[in-house]
Amino acid sequence: TPPEEGQELLDHLRVHGYEARHVYRCETLDQLRKMGNSVLNLVVHPSAVPAARDLQARLRMPWVDLTAVSDEAALIAAYDAACRALDLPPVDVKGAKSRCMDALDTLKGALNDRPLRIDDGYVRRCDLLAEFLAGSGGNAVRVRLIGRNARRAGGVGDSR
C-alpha cells in the first residue's frame, strides 16, 4: 500500500525530515535509485518480508513489519520500533486516536444509523475496522472477507 497523507506514522516521519517512498509510486529509474538511499524499510505487505530480510542481511537496512498489526498495542509497538530505528521521539498515538474518534463520530453522524458494508478490497483489515465500529456504536452489519484476511478469520465468505 503506497504511503498516503494522514497516516500518523508517515506524517510523524515527514515532520522529522524523512520522506516516505513506495516502489509502486516510482515512475523513473532515478526515483528507483533514490530507494537505495533509504535508512528504514517499512514493510506493509507480507510478500515484501523476504526482500526486507535480504536487505537487512546484505545492506544492514533495518525494517519494521507493519503487516501483522492486529490491534492498538501492536500498532503502537510497530510505531515505536520505527521511531527507535531512526532515533525519533514516539508518535503521538493519543492525538491520532482522538482525531480518529472525531472522524468516527462524523461518519456515524453521516450514516444516520444506516448499515455500513465494509469490503477488504478497499480496507486492508476490514474485520478490525468492523469490530472497532461495532464496539463504538457503529452499524457495521456485514464484512466481506476475501483471500488472506478470510484465512486469518477462519474461512472465506461473509462474516456478520
Side-chain angles (χ1 to χ4, degrees):
T1 305
E4 296 178 11
E5 296 296 322
Q7 293 177 343
E8 56 274 351
L9 176 60
L10 299 181
D11 290 346
H12 184 71
L13 295 177
R14 286 183 192 107
V15 164
H16 291 281
Y18 289 92
E19 177 186 357
R21 298 182 186 134
H22 193 282
V23 70
Y24 291 128
R25 293 236 173 114
C26 293
E27 297 176 356
T28 67
L29 185 56
D30 189 50
Q31 289 173 332
L32 281 171
R33 282 188 185 119
K34 285 182 180 179
M35 297 286 289
N37 296 329
S38 298
V39 294
L40 178 66
N41 189 353
L42 298 175
V43 178
V44 296
H45 195 275
S47 65
V49 170
R53 287 185 178 134
D54 183 57
L55 287 170
Q56 183 178 37
R58 290 188 305 118
L59 304 177
R60 296 185 182 175
M61 180 186 293
W63 63 285
V64 174
D65 187 354
L66 296 171
T67 66
V69 171
S70 60
D71 58 28
E72 187 176 340
L75 180 70
I76 292 169
Y79 284 6
D80 287 348
C83 290
R84 277 193 311 275
L86 299 172
D87 198 28
L88 295 178
V91 174
D92 175 17
V93 177
K94 288 181 182 178
K97 186 173 182 176
S98 175
R99 290 187 297 278
C100 177
M101 296 307 288
D102 290 345
L104 179 60
D105 286 341
T106 300
L107 173 63
K108 286 193 293 191
L111 288 173
N112 196 24
D113 204 36
R114 291 185 305 249
L116 177 65
R117 180 173 186 240
I118 305 167
D119 187 314
D120 75 346
Y122 296 99
V123 178
R124 186 167 165 266
R125 288 297 310 270
C126 64
D127 53 330
L128 294 176
L129 178 58
E131 186 178 306
F132 177 74
L133 286 171
S136 301
N139 191 358
V141 296
R142 185 174 213 165
V143 178
R144 182 168 176 181
L145 301 175
I146 304 170
R148 185 173 155 268
N149 287 339
R151 286 190 297 279
R152 181 184 300 120
V156 177
D158 289 338
S159 171
R160 294 185 190 266

